[in-house]
Structure formats: structure tokens, C-alpha cells
Amino acid sequence: MIASCAVVERDGAVCHPGLAAPMLADLDRILARMPDGRAGLRISDDRELGFMLGEGGPVGAVAKTLLGAGVQPVRVVLFDKNDAAGWVLGWHQDRTITVRQRIDVSGFGPWTVKQGIVHVEPPFSGNR
């Protein structure tokens, strides 16, 4: 089920129940390579995850359908909630996006580097 763009425009996010279901076996295999029990692990440049996010992958296809050609996901957050990772995350709004490199553009900032990955907050109109 794909939600209308009005929901994305109003809320800035949309839920797609079941979208990940066909990817769960692949995600299990990919994530088995990652350190266990680390809260906030950032993953970059993983070809298999990149495919899922790309235009031909399931997540990228939804983004293209909702927002039009030429868009792509720039960040996905996966939470390792298991017995070895006993951590709590309170409600917050994650507004940073990852980028390949820092290019100073008016309205974008502050800039941070987390686990070697460049992050920036895009301009925010405050109406979402």
C-alpha cells in the first residue's frame, strides 16, 4: 500500500506496513556481519543495503513513487533491539541526512561527522 503524497507533505514521513517483509532474510544475513549490541551503529557503502535503497530496490521504488523521479533515500535507521543491546531511545525527530561530502549551502547546517560519515540538517520550514 502506498500512501498519498499529501501525507508525506503534511507529516514528513509515511509508514509502509509489510514493505520490509520480503527483505527480512537478506537483512538478517547482512546484519549478521555487523557488530552485535551496538546502539547507533551507522552503516555506509554496503552494496547490498544500497540496492534496497536504490531506484530498483523496494525502498527506493517507494520513494520514487511518492516523490517523483530523481529522488532517492539518503538515510535509513535500523535499531538493534535485542537482549545484548539493552538501550532506550526516547521520542525525538531525526532531521539529519547523510551526504558524500560537505558543501556549504545556505540553510544547511549544522554539520557533523559521525563514525566517519558526514551529516547535515537540511533547511526546515517548521510547518511539518
Side-chain angles (χ1 to χ4, degrees):
M1 175 179 102
I2 295 181
S4 71
C5 284
V7 173
V8 172
E9 290 170 2
R10 183 190 70 224
D11 299 334
V14 65
C15 182
H16 290 276
L19 180 67
M23 300 180 278
L24 292 179
D26 290 329
L27 285 171
D28 270 347
R29 184 179 40 73
I30 293 166
L31 295 176
R33 300 187 316 242
M34 307 297 166
D36 193 23
R38 269 192 68 193
L41 176 66
R42 288 165 178 84
I43 305 165
S44 66
D45 298 329
D46 186 291
R47 290 185 182 270
E48 291 178 278
L49 287 174
F51 166 75
M52 293 176 190
L53 303 177
E55 194 173 297
V59 177
V62 168
K64 182 179 176 181
T65 300
L66 287 173
L67 303 171
V71 303
Q72 69 180 48
V74 294
R75 184 173 179 221
V76 172
V77 180
L78 303 171
F79 294 99
D80 185 4
K81 296 280 194 166
N82 63 51
D83 292 340
W87 53 279
V88 176
L89 181 64
W91 188 95
H92 67 284
Q93 185 177 23
D94 247 345
R95 295 196 336 96
T96 59
I97 60 173
T98 60
V99 294
R100 286 190 183 107
Q101 66 182 17
R102 180 177 176 153
I103 299 175
D104 290 321
V105 175
S106 179
F108 284 75
W111 291 85
T112 58
V113 178
K114 301 171 186 174
Q115 293 176 328
I117 304 168
V118 181
H119 293 71
V120 66
E121 285 190 30
F124 182 64
S125 65
N127 62 359
R128 292 185 189 226

